[in-house]
Amino acid sequence: MGVDNPQRNIVKERAMGLSFAVPYLLFLIPGYVTGVGDLPHVNAVWYLILETIFVVMYLLSWLMNDVAPLRNTMSVPQSLIYALLFVLAAGISLVSPSAGMYNLPYLEAVIILQIPWLRFYYALGFLTLFAVGILANGHLDPHTSRDDLVFAILIFLTSMVAIVLVRRAINQGRQSEIAAVQSKALAVEEERNRLASDLHDVLGQTLTAINTMAQLSEKLLVSGRINDARETMDSIATLSRDALTQTRAVVKSRQNLSIAEELIKARQLLNAAGVQCHIVGEPSASSEDLEDAIGHIVKEATANVVHHSSAHNCWIVLDEIGVSVSDDGRGPFDIADRATSQGTGLRALRERVEPWGTLSAGPQEGGRARGWTVRFRLNSRELDRIQ
């Protein structure tokens, strides 16, 4: 079993964020080309220097900071990088107002996706005021066309909306993952408590009685009352057998399958095997034993679909009279093969569900040329009980 390395996971996530951010730097190439063409003009020199430092700091921010971080604090180096990015963007805007406007989306991506959520809205407000200043500087520059200014404003606004939505989606996804982990841990804890409570209820009084009788039998033997001691020991043996039976019953009740859980597992198994899973109806059963039986039907039948059918689709249909698992695989073209491969499993399933109904398996119905169906139908007694 591999060991999860949190530090490696962090590096991997940051590398993925960097790989997402790097391609957008291609949009800075025209500015570089123009700057090189304007050399040795002093503004071109300063533009190339500031823009290069900006790109380096931009890449460094993705390597040092998490995307949508869960922590609400920032280290000093992180804060310095953000401050330097703002200073560089302002400097580029003073040297070349049009270039400064087109640097805003990069600043947006860094600030919106990397700032801790607790400081997110403050950072977003400051970024908006900073952008207004950059755009106003472009508006005052006689060399900046109105079309470029309008385009820069549209890019800034649309980028902001898109990046904010991405940030929210990432946060919601992480919260869902956290909730799922917590829910699973809580379910495990509840199951442990329930099992402990059941075992305590089942064994507590019985073991206390056995202990008391064992002490009594010892006293009877010491006093020479052999027959009374033998009767006490017989009672201890009876209590022990009862305790064992009750313990097995508790363990069996915790081993029963859940229809809902087996449907989830079936979907995961089928999807992993490239089979489309279609579930129709809601799981229901009149008893835990019946639910366990139906759960085994779903489990075994979907396993057969994966291992023997070569199907593209699988349909699991639950209704008030039972359950069926159908596929569009090899079906009747391989009936003998199927009968051999799943014969033992089918017989075991039939024996398991016999108290509640009948299980059958055969070619797909409804005029299909291919396919196989495993079908379970409740008997009249169970149908009367449900109704």
Side-chain angles (χ1 to χ4, degrees):
M1 182 182 295
V3 178
D4 190 24
N5 188 331
Q7 187 62 36
R8 185 182 300 170
N9 291 340
I10 291 173
V11 172
K12 183 178 178 181
E13 287 184 6
R14 291 181 180 178
M16 290 177 62
L18 180 62
S19 66
F20 170 81
V22 165
Y24 292 97
L25 292 175
L26 293 174
F27 293 105
L28 294 179
I29 292 178
Y32 270 101
V33 172
T34 302
V36 172
D38 289 340
L39 290 174
H41 193 280
V42 65
N43 279 3
V45 174
W46 275 110
Y47 165 75
L48 292 174
I49 293 174
L50 293 173
E51 191 71 88
T52 301
I53 299 174
F54 182 89
V55 170
V56 171
M57 290 295 103
Y58 174 79
L59 296 177
L60 191 60
S61 72
W62 290 101
L63 288 174
M64 290 188 61
N65 305 322
D66 297 325
V67 177
L70 295 175
R71 296 185 183 90
N72 285 321
T73 58
M74 289 190 303
S75 66
V76 173
Q78 290 173 331
S79 302
L80 289 176
I81 287 177
Y82 296 137
L84 187 55
L85 283 172
F86 274 104
V87 171
L88 290 168
I92 293 170
S93 179
L94 293 175
V95 173
S96 174
S98 60
M101 293 189 304
Y102 288 107
N103 274 62
L104 284 174
Y106 300 96
L107 201 56
E108 276 183 304
V110 168
I111 298 301
I112 295 175
L113 288 178
Q114 297 179 10
I115 289 290
W117 195 251
L118 190 64
R119 306 181 184 182
F120 176 79
Y121 292 103
Y122 298 105
L124 192 61
F126 182 80
L127 176 64
T128 303
L129 292 175
F130 184 82
V132 170
I134 297 288
L135 294 170
N137 182 57
H139 176 70
L140 296 174
D141 180 59
H143 302 291
T144 303
S145 70
R146 301 302 81 135
D147 290 340
D148 284 346
L149 180 63
V150 171
F151 184 74
I153 292 173
L154 290 176
I155 289 294
F156 175 79
L157 294 176
T158 54
S159 299
M160 178 177 286
V161 172
I163 298 171
V164 168
L165 291 177
V166 169
R167 173 68 184 264
R168 286 190 173 275
I170 293 173
N171 275 282
Q172 289 174 356
R174 286 183 174 172
Q175 292 301 323
S176 297
E177 291 177 3
I178 292 171
V181 171
Q182 291 175 336
S183 177
K184 186 179 292 185
L186 182 61
V188 171
E189 186 64 26
E190 289 177 349
E191 183 63 22
R192 287 174 178 169
N193 293 336
R194 195 156 49 239
L195 180 58
S197 176
D198 288 349
L199 289 175
H200 178 269
D201 293 342
V202 168
L203 298 178
Q205 293 181 346
T206 302
L207 292 178
T208 300
I210 290 174
N211 181 57
T212 302
M213 288 184 174
Q215 294 175 3
L216 176 61
S217 65
E218 182 181 2
K219 294 178 181 179
L220 291 173
L221 288 173
V222 170
S223 63
R225 298 167 61 184
I226 305 299
N227 291 333
D228 292 339
R230 185 178 291 113
E231 291 179 2
T232 303
M233 289 180 182
D234 289 341
S235 298
I236 291 175
T238 302
L239 285 173
S240 299
R241 285 193 296 271
D242 291 343
L244 181 60
T245 301
Q246 292 171 338
T247 301
R248 285 174 176 169
V250 170
V251 173
K252 182 179 181 298
S253 70
R254 294 293 171 244
Q255 292 176 333
N256 281 357
L257 298 184
S258 161
I259 299 175
E261 290 180 2
E262 291 308 314
L263 289 174
I264 294 173
K265 293 177 182 178
R267 185 186 293 278
Q268 292 172 341
L269 176 64
L270 291 166
N271 290 343
V275 182
Q276 282 289 108
C277 180
H278 311 273
I279 298 176
V280 181
E282 295 293 334
S284 63
S286 59
S287 66
E288 288 186 359
D289 288 337
L290 176 56
E291 179 163 3
D292 177 68
I294 294 176
H296 275 90
I297 293 170
V298 173
K299 181 178 181 179
E300 296 295 335
T302 51
N304 267 330
V305 172
V306 170
H307 294 302
H308 303 296
S309 74
S310 299
H312 297 290
N313 293 276
C314 176
W315 294 267
I316 303 174
V317 180
L318 302 108
D319 51 36
E320 66 278 0
I321 61 173
V323 62
S324 65
V325 180
S326 308
D327 64 68
D328 60 356
R330 290 182 292 177
F333 296 108
D334 200 20
I335 293 175
D337 216 24
R338 283 221 180 173
T340 302
S341 62
Q342 70 172 351
T344 303
L346 190 59
R347 280 197 299 271
L349 277 179
R350 282 199 178 105
E351 292 173 1
R352 182 184 291 273
V353 303
E354 189 176 3
W356 302 280
T358 56
L359 184 73
S360 60
Q364 183 72 271
E365 294 180 353
R368 291 183 181 172
R370 301 165 68 87
W372 190 266
T373 298
V374 174
R375 182 178 293 103
F376 169 67
R377 289 293 175 261
L378 294 171
N379 55 34
S380 57
R381 184 181 69 251
E382 285 299 319
L383 288 175
D384 292 339
R385 183 181 301 177
I386 293 175
Q387 294 172 356

